[in-house]
Amino acid sequence: MFHVEQAGETEVNSAFSFDDTPLARELADLSARRRALETTDVSLSGRTRVLTVSNQKGGVGKTTTTVNIAAALASVGARVLVIDLDPQGNASTALGVPHTADIPSVYDVLIDEFPLADIVQVSPESPNLLCAPSTIHLAGAEIELVSQVAREHRLKTALDDYLANLDERLDFVLIDCPPSLGLLTINAFTAAHELLIPIQCEYYALEGLSQLLGTVRMIQKHLNPALHLSTILLTMYDARTRLAQQVAEEVREHFAREVLETVIPRSVRVSEAPSFGQTVIAYDGQSAGAIAYREAAVEMIRRDTASGEEGGA
């Protein structure tokens, strides 16, 4: 009797196969992407790319993108420095770097001209992952910078000196900006070569983007002609909603060359990781969010390599 019931059960299961469910298809896709990443081989360009990660609209995943892209790049062998220019210090927290009020920070670099090398710390996640932390003192830096000489160039000067005196070259510098267009953000724009904009796949995604790009044009004209928009990353993507798909289509239509193919899904693991003082790469490297950030990092490296080859040709 037992064997008959088992046989009947098997027939029912084959009629309603788990393999045909959306969840099964999603898990299979995740497994395939995970395997592809394990066999991925990337070659770094041999130069230091300095990117500022900015969007004056809050809540778009800017800091989350900065730290997770940085950790993903470090996981494939790149040496990465994250400069935390946000007074909230969330990037420093996520990288597991102490940033209490008595610790030397970016504030001391901008206001008191400390060498950047004196404040950089190694993240416990990886020897390839460095962080220049922010402290609460940075909240007053906007006002204090107003009276400083060369106030827009102070981060650039410090970063150029730091890079020139390194024994081992950095591959990437990622600058995490506050959600505003004040002097801290202008310092980041002046120090960087590239702009990475995370865009949330929701209704107000493009609101304020024209203002941000207007500021970039002003920086290009007056302070940093080398700055250019190189990368747009779609974040908080929910494939179940038509709205997310529409926003993604609209952004791709306007910025076809800059938008990465990779999109970052909404993910509980990504949200949980900072509370443990970790990036999602360290917290749960096999999760959907971690895999997406690793894919985005690989895509950034490959795009740069491809553009370098085209330029060389």
Side-chain angles (χ1 to χ4, degrees):
M1 190 68 177
F2 175 79
H3 294 293
V4 173
E5 288 176 356
Q6 284 290 92
E9 210 173 280
T10 304
E11 289 173 10
V12 170
N13 285 344
S14 63
F16 300 97
S17 173
F18 176 74
D19 294 342
D20 293 333
T21 65
L23 177 59
R25 288 193 292 272
E26 186 179 329
L27 290 172
D29 175 61
L30 205 57
S31 295
R33 289 162 60 197
R34 193 181 295 127
R35 287 193 297 272
L37 280 168
E38 286 167 3
T39 58
T40 293
D41 187 28
V42 294
S43 55
L44 297 160
S45 66
R47 62 188 179 87
T48 302
R49 294 175 63 187
V50 183
L51 299 94
T52 184
V53 185
S54 181
N55 192 330
Q56 82 271 17
K57 186 179 183 303
V60 299
K62 178 178 53 59
T63 297
T64 301
T65 292
T66 304
V67 297
N68 288 313
I69 287 287
L73 289 166
S75 74
V76 296
R79 294 192 75 240
V80 187
L81 169 64
V82 173
I83 298 178
D84 190 354
L85 265 194
D86 191 337
Q88 296 178 80
N90 292 337
S92 306
T93 299
L95 293 172
V97 169
H99 58 106
T100 52
D102 58 332
I103 286 177
S105 71
V106 175
Y107 171 86
D108 301 289
V109 172
L110 294 176
I111 304 302
D112 297 325
E113 299 187 16
F114 273 39
L116 197 54
D118 288 0
I119 71 157
V120 168
Q121 300 181 45
V122 179
S123 168
E125 282 196 21
S126 167
N128 284 339
L129 188 53
L130 311 175
C131 178
S134 160
T135 62
I136 193 62
H137 297 306
L138 201 58
E142 292 273 7
I143 297 169
E144 293 181 62
L145 277 169
V146 171
S147 60
Q148 298 282 345
V149 175
R151 61 191 181 188
E152 299 94 349
H153 293 272
R154 293 177 83 83
L155 180 61
K156 175 178 171 53
T157 301
L159 180 59
D160 287 349
D161 289 346
Y162 175 74
L163 295 175
N165 292 296
L166 278 178
D167 294 328
E168 190 177 355
R169 176 186 51 81
L170 288 174
D171 296 294
F172 288 87
V173 177
L174 300 181
I175 307 172
D176 184 39
C177 297
S180 65
L181 293 176
L183 274 171
L184 290 175
T185 301
I186 289 173
N187 262 270
F189 284 167
T190 305
H193 311 140
E194 304 176 42
L195 175 62
L196 189 164
I197 303 178
I199 293 184
Q200 185 180 10
C201 293
E202 295 201 350
Y203 182 70
Y204 293 114
L206 298 176
E207 190 157 298
L209 186 58
S210 59
Q211 183 187 355
L212 176 60
L213 295 177
T215 302
V216 170
R217 284 190 290 272
M218 182 186 71
I219 298 290
Q220 289 169 329
K221 184 176 180 180
H222 298 287
L223 295 169
N224 183 9
L227 181 66
H228 65 283
L229 172 60
S230 67
T231 311
I232 291 177
L233 180 62
L234 298 169
T235 65
M236 303 184 189
Y237 183 80
D238 187 345
R240 299 169 300 178
T241 67
R242 179 63 188 143
L243 175 61
Q245 295 168 24
Q246 287 174 336
V247 170
E249 287 167 9
E250 190 173 348
V251 174
R252 291 189 191 282
E253 183 181 332
H254 286 89
F255 302 96
R257 289 174 59 88
E258 294 82 6
V259 183
L260 296 182
E261 286 297 320
T262 306
V263 296
I264 308 300
R266 283 197 173 277
S267 167
V268 173
R269 287 287 188 261
V270 171
S271 302
E272 288 175 346
S275 63
F276 292 88
Q278 294 179 312
T279 66
V280 74
I281 310 301
Y283 178 63
D284 186 355
Q286 304 304 310
S287 65
I291 288 170
Y293 274 115
R294 288 163 63 196
E295 288 173 335
V298 168
E299 190 177 349
M300 285 174 63
I301 293 171
R302 285 182 169 165
R303 280 189 172 197
D304 184 53
T305 305
S307 65
E309 287 172 356
E310 287 172 13

